[in-house]
Structures are given as C-alpha cells and as structure tokens.
Amino acid sequence: MAHVKWLRAITLVDTPFEGFQQAVAYRYRHQADEPGQPVTRIAPRALLVPPGFPDFMSRTRVLRPGPVTIEGRAWSGRAPVERVEVSVDGGTTWAAAELHPARHQWAWRRWTYPWTPAPGTYLLSARATDTHGDTQPVGQAWNRGGFANNAIQQVPVACLA
C-alpha cells in the first residue's frame, strides 16, 4: 500500500485477508472503541495542477492575464470517471473540463480546461463525478483516521495587471 516499489511477490488467498491494516487500522470510526467500517474503494476525486507561481507566504498562486490551461487528474475506485468540472469562483459556478481518454477503466484520467483570467483574485476548484453518479463533496465527513478525504481542492489565484 505505501511501499509498492518494493513489491516482490503476490500471494492469492481464498478468504479475506485479516492483517492488521485490514482488520484494525484502516477503518472508518468516530469513536476509538467502535469496530468501524473497513476502508475499501476510493471515492471520486479530481485534483488540479496549480497554475502560475506560488507566493510562499500566502500560498496564493500568481499569474499574468492571458490564456492558461488548467489541468489535473481525476480518478474513482467505485466506477469510471464520467466528467470533471472546474470552478474559478470558489464553487459558485461550474464548467465542464475536457476529459481525456482513459488508458484503463480504473486509471487516472487527465483533464484540461482553457481559462483566460482578467486581473483579480480567483478560487479555483475541480470536482469529479463517476458513472454511478457519485460526485466529490465540498467538505469531508470526519472520521478518526482522516481516511477517504476527497473534498474539493481549492487553490487561490491572483492574476496581476
């Protein structure tokens, strides 16, 4: 899971594997003493590559006016990604991004969105929806382990004059 680059063998078993991670650690819990539900498939998620240059103090991205291609990747472990939408106003409005072909049903999919900002401030976001109709949430439901965080990413951008 965390160090697959060192994978040397795979052993098939005919019953669910009950190792520590599966039986104890990777479980959605609200209280420490409850058994919880196992973490299984990842919910839909889209992330964007922040455009421009970072202002390290404010974490805001800085760019000049003119055409920019916003891009990122989207994936889901429940069903294939069907669409990605982009918002430049913090989620008030959404527009369809171009979803590039998948190399495999469960592979990440590249997406792009052409944008021409005027001087001002923006809050960029992207959200994925899969073929089951599941869409990325604005906020994340809390659990003790912090698992399955697929909340919509928000990237502040300042477009200079």
Side-chain angles (χ1 to χ4, degrees):
M1 166 280 312
H3 304 288
V4 295
K5 63 185 173 188
W6 293 305
L7 182 67
R8 294 187 355 224
I10 295 175
T11 303
L12 297 176
V13 295
D14 60 1
T15 58
F17 181 67
E18 292 294 328
F20 175 77
Q21 303 297 341
Q22 292 74 24
V24 178
Y26 289 142
R27 307 199 60 89
Y28 301 114
R29 292 185 180 91
H30 288 94
Q31 303 297 323
D33 59 347
E34 69 179 281
Q37 295 296 316
V39 174
T40 56
R41 298 182 182 266
I42 191 164
R45 181 115 198 235
L47 292 176
L48 60 90
V49 177
F53 297 94
D55 174 65
F56 290 102
M57 297 303 286
S58 68
R59 307 297 291 169
T60 297
R61 302 298 288 202
V62 179
L63 50 86
R64 297 272 179 209
V68 175
T69 298
I70 300 171
E71 70 172 303
R73 303 293 182 270
W75 62 94
S76 175
R78 297 177 180 170
V81 172
E82 180 174 69
R83 74 177 180 272
V84 172
E85 297 165 293
V86 174
S87 175
V88 298
D89 57 15
T92 301
T93 61
W94 294 91
E98 179 184 352
L99 191 57
H100 296 251
R103 293 184 181 199
H104 182 275
Q105 177 179 351
W106 302 110
W108 291 9
R109 292 190 67 182
R110 180 175 184 254
W111 58 266
T112 54
Y113 179 78
W115 181 46
T116 305
T121 58
Y122 301 90
L123 188 57
L124 305 183
S125 303
R127 68 181 179 193
T129 300
D130 66 24
T131 58
H132 284 172
D134 293 323
T135 300
Q136 241 177 302
V138 173
Q140 184 59 42
W142 183 86
N143 65 81
R144 290 183 62 83
F147 300 125
N149 183 356
N150 73 324
I152 291 172
Q153 174 191 22
Q154 295 186 329
V155 177
V157 172
C159 183
L160 304 177

